Every structure is written in C-alpha cells, then in structure tokens.
Amino acid sequence: MIPLLDDRIRLTRGFFAPARAAELLAALLGDTPWLAVRYENAGRPQELPRWTVNYGERSYDYSGLVFTPLPWTPLLAGLRDLAEAQAETRFNALIVQLYRDGADGVNWHSDDSPGVGADPIIASLSFGATRRFQVRRKGEREPCLELELHAGDLLVMRGDLQHTHQHKVPREPEVTAPRVNLTFRTLSGPAPQPAVAHTSRAVRWPADE
Ligand SMILES: O=C(O)CCC(=O)C(=O)O
Ligand SMILES: [Fe+2]
C-alpha cells in the first residue's frame, strides 16, 4: 500500500491480479444495466460524459442529480466486502461508472455531498483501461498529485481530503478502450432531493450506436 497526501490517499496496486481484473471487467461491462444521463444545464440539454449506475441501500446526490439505487448483486456485494475489509469501514452505496473511451471523464469535484458525512472514506476499484487520476488543492488550478490507475488497483480516499482537495479523471483522446470504476461510499441522513431533473436512457455495452 502506498500512502499519499498525508495518508489521506491509500493506493494498493494490483489489489486484483490481472487475470481476475480482466474477468471482473468483462462481467461488469456486460451485466451492468447502464444509464446514459441527460439533464439540462442553463436550458441546454447535456449528457454526462460517462455511463453510470448506482447500487446499494441509499440514493446518492451527484451535483444535484439524484439516482435511485439498484439492489446489490452477488458480484458487487462480494467486491464491497473486500473493499470494506481494506478500508476498515462499512459501505452502503456504490457508484459504477463506465468511461467508454478517452473522450469520457469526470471533471474536478469533491465527493462532499451532505449524505457522505464529515470525513468520508471512499474506496475506488478500477478495471479496464489505464486512466489518469489527478488531485488538486481547492482554490488551485494545477494538480498537486497525478497517478495512473490501472486495472485491479484499489484507491482509498479518507480523512478530510474531500474538504481540502478535488479530483478529476481527465479526458485522454488517445485512449480507445473502456474503463470501469467502482466507488463505495457510506451514506446517512435524509434522502437527497433532486435539484436537477434528468432523463436517463437505459443502455447496454457494447454501445450499438
Ligand atoms: O473514476 C474514478 O477513478 C473516479 C470517479 C469519481 O471521482 C467519482 O465517482 O466520484
Ligand atoms: Fe469522485
């Protein structure tokens, strides 16, 4: 395990061996009922630059978008149990994201919606294409940390990191292969109210459009 940023990021390379990571990628790509999320931003229709789906016991508020979770599958509950053992906490929510290729990504943000509590522990598993993961101090422009997340890697964010820093998965046009990321979280308190309406379209991988 590699501790980074005062032990508020813990990176475990090869938490899953390559063969197991490849099996998990295939299962996650094919079996997940993905959503392509459409919403309006200042009157303009937008689509999230990735496919996403939520699992577990709690809804998650993602920049005002609220998603109803699906029940744990045996596979995802198994991965949750492994993540819980590593992160030494219990998780009741999971966001699964598919970055179809390097044109997909996630912009600068902190995982600090009210439901995650004061100092959230978030465990992230990566499968498929290697992608960059950047971290910057809030209020600053440039990353202070840049990592490559490989298939099978486990990254845990903890302590007050979500208060002090933001993270991002930048677009990488040269990447052609898909990447699946799982983030396990612990949510509590009242269910979030949607601030932004979305129309989500059920989609399956491989995309046929
Ligand atoms: O894909 C990743 O590695 C990060 C995803 C993320 O930051 C999120 O889902 O909040
Ligand atoms: Fe995040």
Side-chain angles (χ1 to χ4, degrees):
M1 190 271 288
I2 307 166
L4 299 157
L5 289 182
D6 301 321
D7 202 24
R8 294 180 296 164
I9 291 182
R10 292 180 170 179
L11 175 62
T12 305
R13 296 283 187 203
F15 182 65
F16 293 104
R20 181 64 182 142
E23 277 173 13
L24 288 167
L25 173 69
L28 291 164
L29 278 175
D31 298 347
T32 305
W34 301 103
L35 291 177
V37 178
R38 289 194 178 135
Y39 61 101
E40 276 197 7
N41 185 3
R44 291 198 181 169
Q46 302 233 330
E47 190 159 311
L48 284 184
R50 55 195 176 274
W51 290 352
T52 187
V53 57
N54 286 31
Y55 288 89
E57 294 114 74
R58 312 283 301 203
S59 322
Y60 187 67
D61 168 1
Y62 203 94
S63 308
L65 299 160
V66 175
F67 300 97
T68 306
L70 298 172
W72 295 108
T73 65
L75 177 71
L76 295 175
L79 296 178
R80 176 202 60 206
D81 293 349
L82 292 172
E84 286 182 342
Q86 282 299 307
E88 298 177 320
T89 190
R90 301 299 300 268
F91 296 119
N92 61 9
L94 165 64
I95 301 175
V96 185
Q97 317 240 41
L98 168 58
Y99 304 90
R100 292 159 286 181
D101 57 26
D104 278 353
V106 62
N107 212 343
W108 289 116
H109 68 282
S110 305
D111 294 327
D112 58 358
S113 72
V116 297
D119 286 339
I121 299 178
I122 296 165
S124 150
L125 291 173
S126 294
F127 301 100
T130 296
R131 293 291 299 264
R132 283 213 300 281
F133 182 83
Q134 299 174 319
V135 183
R136 73 177 181 190
R137 209 174 286 282
K138 282 188 183 177
E140 288 182 10
R141 229 184 116 73
E142 297 303 319
C144 61
L145 177 69
E146 188 154 12
L147 305 167
E148 286 197 333
L149 294 180
H150 304 280
D153 287 352
L154 166 72
L155 181 135
V156 176
M157 295 186 279
R158 49 201 291 281
D160 62 357
L161 187 77
Q162 304 304 323
H163 299 286
T164 58
H165 289 72
Q166 296 179 312
H167 54 275
K168 170 178 179 166
V169 176
R171 292 171 199 242
E172 292 184 71
E174 62 283 7
V175 173
T176 54
R179 168 177 184 262
V180 173
N181 176 263
L182 279 61
T183 46
F184 295 93
R185 300 148 197 261
T186 312
L187 304 182
S188 58
Q193 295 305 308
V196 180
H198 62 88
T199 52
S200 294
R201 190 164 50 96
V203 278
R204 284 285 175 176
W205 182 265
D208 52 15
E209 40 183 277

